[in-house]
Amino acid sequence: EPKGKTALRDAVIIGIVRMLKVKQILIKIGSLKHKFIHIVLTDGDDTASQNSKDDLKGLFTTIGDELGDLCKTYFIGVGLEYKAKKELEEIARFG
């Protein structure tokens, strides 16, 4: 029986923000030739996020504008129940 809370949207947003920061560092050192892989792995329903789906969608738009084809996001759900699976599929459409 699951006991913890899951803040999936918040975690995805943290990942996006960190990738954008890494991009800025790579620009400063003149090495923006790397590609980014963003892996989102979850085993539960989002029960604790402070950010909305609209917030997440907006950041995926930003990362698309900033990184374009330099970034690919992969979504993996492990042992998800129906509701969590549907939410992960919806979030995956943003990225």
Side-chain angles (χ1 to χ4, degrees):
E1 182 70 25
K3 296 179 184 176
K5 294 183 178 182
T6 299
L8 178 63
R9 292 184 303 274
D10 292 351
V12 173
I13 286 172
I14 289 168
I16 291 170
V17 168
R18 287 188 178 164
M19 283 188 292
L20 292 171
K21 286 180 181 177
V22 168
K23 177 197 172 202
Q24 293 304 316
I25 292 168
L26 292 173
I27 288 171
K28 283 182 183 178
I29 64 172
S31 184
L32 189 59
K33 58 186 172 206
H34 301 12
K35 293 199 178 220
F36 296 82
I37 297 174
H38 183 206
I39 298 171
V40 177
L41 175 65
T42 186
D43 66 350
D45 193 17
D46 191 331
T47 59
S49 282
Q50 299 297 311
N51 291 286
S52 70
K53 289 178 189 173
D54 285 338
D55 296 333
L56 185 57
K57 187 175 183 178
L59 269 177
F60 269 113
T61 299
T62 299
I63 201 169
D65 293 344
E66 292 282 327
L67 295 175
D69 63 352
L70 292 176
C71 181
K72 176 67 178 161
T73 301
Y74 296 94
F75 295 87
I76 303 167
V78 178
L80 300 179
E81 294 186 13
Y82 181 79
K83 180 182 172 192
K85 183 179 177 182
K86 289 299 174 189
E87 181 172 8
L88 187 62
E89 289 171 354
E90 182 179 359
I91 291 171
R93 285 191 289 275
F94 299 156

